[in-house]
Amino acid sequence: MHTADVLTADHVVKVFGSGHTEVRAVDGVSVAMKRGELVLIMGPSGSGKTTLISMLGGLLRPTAGTIVVDGEDITALGERDLPRVRARKIGFVFQAFNLLDALTVEENILFPARLVRDGVSRAQARADQLIDRLALSKRRRALPQTLSGGEKQRVAIARALINAPPIILADEPTGNLDSANGQEVLMILHDVARDEGCAVILVTHDPRVEDIADRILWLEDGEFRDRKREHHAWARDPVCGMRVDEWTAAITTEHAGQRKVFCSKRCLERFEADPARYLAAQSTS
Ligand SMILES: Nc1ncnc2c1ncn2[C@@H]1O[C@H](COP(=O)(O)OP(=O)(O)O)[C@@H](O)[C@H]1O
Ligand SMILES: [Mg+2]
């Protein structure tokens, strides 16, 4: 059973609106994933990545096509049964963390266990283990607003893992983090695929993950395209110096008629505060 596909999508389509305003956000995508696999989805802004990953996780219904999650056809499930499958089979990690402000770190991590039968009785030991593993022991009773971005995302990852789902879906989980915290979150997700035997699907613009991913799927205009690694057009983040793929870059600005790309919002903010400083540094390097 371990080698069987844990997630399959077959000719999945999502159309928003109709007539003049119709958008085919995802246009006939098929994919199959096994446990232990880390798969990247990369593509330009607006190419359908969030729409696709939302459908794979049962948060959004496809217009057409079939999605089978751990043996269960979620496209055939009614609204009443879908939350149960989501809670047991899928862990979500979002760019905006989506933690519950009024709950402590530990309570946030334990929250999804309430949605699963027998979940709560097993969850405490699992939470202790995850808190330890994700280096959150000192923040166990803290509220989300007192955490750093990196800590928030580690809490979100622990929460995603609490019910030991076979699938983890992460939509730009490093988008609100600085470079070092982003790197740490990516490595944790990589280790999760290996150690927990999860299928991890990661939407990211971060080229550093390409080396650790098992597969990269390039999405463009709602379809998977063949794209070779060599086709990268590398640019440098003028603030931190990290290489960024021009094609998929999400955080960009125009400066003196030139397009500048950034690894994170933080680097963009630093640049905008004092462009001359970073442009001078770039031209001498
Ligand atoms: N709820 C929605 N209603 C209408 N159009 C949408 C909706 N969600 C996404 N879209 C459109 O679908 C396309 C793909 O969006 P999205 O999946 O968010 O792309 P990405 O995550 O790659 O940036 C875009 O053209 C976007 O404007
Ligand atoms: Mg998106």
Side-chain angles (χ1 to χ4, degrees), residues 239 251-253 262 264-273:
V239 177
I251 302 158
T252 66
T253 190
F262 301 88
S264 62
K265 283 188 188 144
R266 221 162 96 166
C267 279
L268 172 61
E269 283 162 16
R270 284 187 193 164
F271 179 82
E272 284 177 334

Side-chain angles (χ1 to χ4, degrees), residues 8 19 23 54 117 123 127 132 159 171 187 195 198 206 251 255:
T8 59
V23 177
S54 303
R117 194 192 307 196
D132 191 42
R159 178 184 58 183
D171 191 2
M187 288 317 294
D195 303 350
C198 292
D206 194 328
I251 302 158
H255 184 85

Side-chain angles (χ1 to χ4, degrees), residues 16-17 23-26 43-52 60 171-172 203 219:
F16 290 112
V23 177
R24 294 182 80 83
V26 171
S45 200
S47 58
K49 303 180 299 294
T50 294
T51 304
L52 175 60
L60 186 67
D171 191 2
E172 304 199 31
V203 172
L219 198 63

Side-chain angles (χ1 to χ4, degrees), residues 219-270:
L219 198 63
E220 193 173 357
D221 295 332
E223 292 179 81
F224 285 143
R225 299 280 160 88
D226 283 334
R227 186 164 183 265
K228 300 264 186 299
R229 265 164 194 258
E230 306 81 83
H231 292 176
H232 280 302
W234 294 117
R236 283 209 182 269
D237 181 326
V239 177
C240 71
M242 196 176 106
R243 48 186 195 130
V244 179
D245 184 352
E246 285 253 43
W247 189 65
T248 63
I251 302 158
T252 66
T253 190
E254 282 286 316
H255 184 85
Q258 269 202 316
R259 185 166 180 260
K260 298 285 170 196
V261 301
F262 301 88
C263 77
S264 62
K265 283 188 188 144
R266 221 162 96 166
C267 279
L268 172 61
E269 283 162 16
R270 284 187 193 164

